[in-house]
Amino acid sequence: MPETSTALVTGASSGIGSAIARRLTNDGIRVLIGFHSGRLRAERLCSSLNSMGKEKAIPVHIDLSDPHSIPDRFDELAKDFGPIYYLVNNAGINDRSSGLTLDPIRLEEIIAINLSSPLLLSSAAASYFATNDLHGSIVNITSVHDQIPITGGAQYCASKGGLAVASRALALEFAQYGIRLNLVAPGETATPMNGVLHGSDSEIIRRPAIPMGRAAQPAEIASAVAWLLGSEASYMTGATLYIDGGLMLTAAEENAKAAYNTSHIRERTHS
């Protein structure tokens, strides 16, 4: 890890992004706290992270709703703050919309923030890394829903699934330059996106249907991101870590229970 290493983390003013920023600063990395509407939260987070007097965190505005501005914005940040070695595309918006009433404007918004901007930011970062002979590392945050559907999630699943497969294509292309791109796919996590208030990231949310019995803590997702960015994952690229407490293991469970109960009834009927 370079002594003056800097990471750009989008959507870093709260939730998983905030936890990632805290983890990276604890690891000695300066973090550019990317935000759009959460300026006050970003400034408060930076104040907290900089409380020891060192400039560990800097708030930076990034409008991910305008993908056309993304490449220039990354170059501006690199000029303003020096070499950037790491990128975490964390920002995203959740959505549950009836498949019978999908709205094209909402779909465009979701695709812009969850898919187009992360891809363009990854491209801009990799171009910068290659031009400056930096073996940079990128982590894109997707979701378990890049693989499994959820009712009302057609737009969200499309954006996360698209980001997942496109990221693997980028990882394939970037590898020749020594640039790694990996993915972290959380399950349910205790964040504002999932109804947990800002500042309550340590709240335990019980979920009996998840094998681990609870939602993830943001810090648990952050640990996976930090590991993938670092040298211990130096031979990993194009990989996805699903951090979901076993949620994806349960797909057939309800059907299996129903089948078991039905066969049990039959056995008792025939006995």
Side-chain angles (χ1 to χ4, degrees), residues 52-90:
M52 299 301 292
K54 295 182 179 180
E55 192 179 51
K56 295 181 177 180
I58 303 167
V60 296
H61 181 261
I62 303 178
D63 183 4
L64 298 179
S65 67
D66 179 15
H68 297 281
S69 70
I70 294 301
D72 289 342
R73 188 67 181 118
F74 186 88
D75 290 339
E76 291 168 0
L77 293 173
K79 289 177 183 177
D80 290 343
F81 300 105
I84 298 173
Y85 291 86
Y86 309 107
L87 168 65
V88 181
N89 280 305
N90 166 75

Side-chain angles (χ1 to χ4, degrees), residues 107-121:
L107 177 58
E108 289 177 4
E109 178 186 18
I110 293 166
I111 294 299
I113 293 174
N114 290 6
L115 176 58
S116 300
S117 287
L119 289 181
L120 291 168
L121 203 51

Side-chain angles (χ1 to χ4, degrees), residues 167-213:
S167 293
R168 290 192 287 272
L170 291 181
L172 175 63
E173 187 171 348
F174 295 167
Q176 63 183 304
Y177 303 102
I179 300 164
R180 298 186 301 109
L181 190 161
N182 290 291
L183 302 102
V184 168
E188 184 181 356
T189 308
T191 66
M193 180 181 285
N194 290 316
V196 178
L197 296 176
H198 290 287
S200 302
D201 290 351
S202 61
E203 182 176 341
I204 299 297
I205 299 177
R206 301 297 178 188
R207 289 290 185 265
I210 297 175
M212 295 291 287

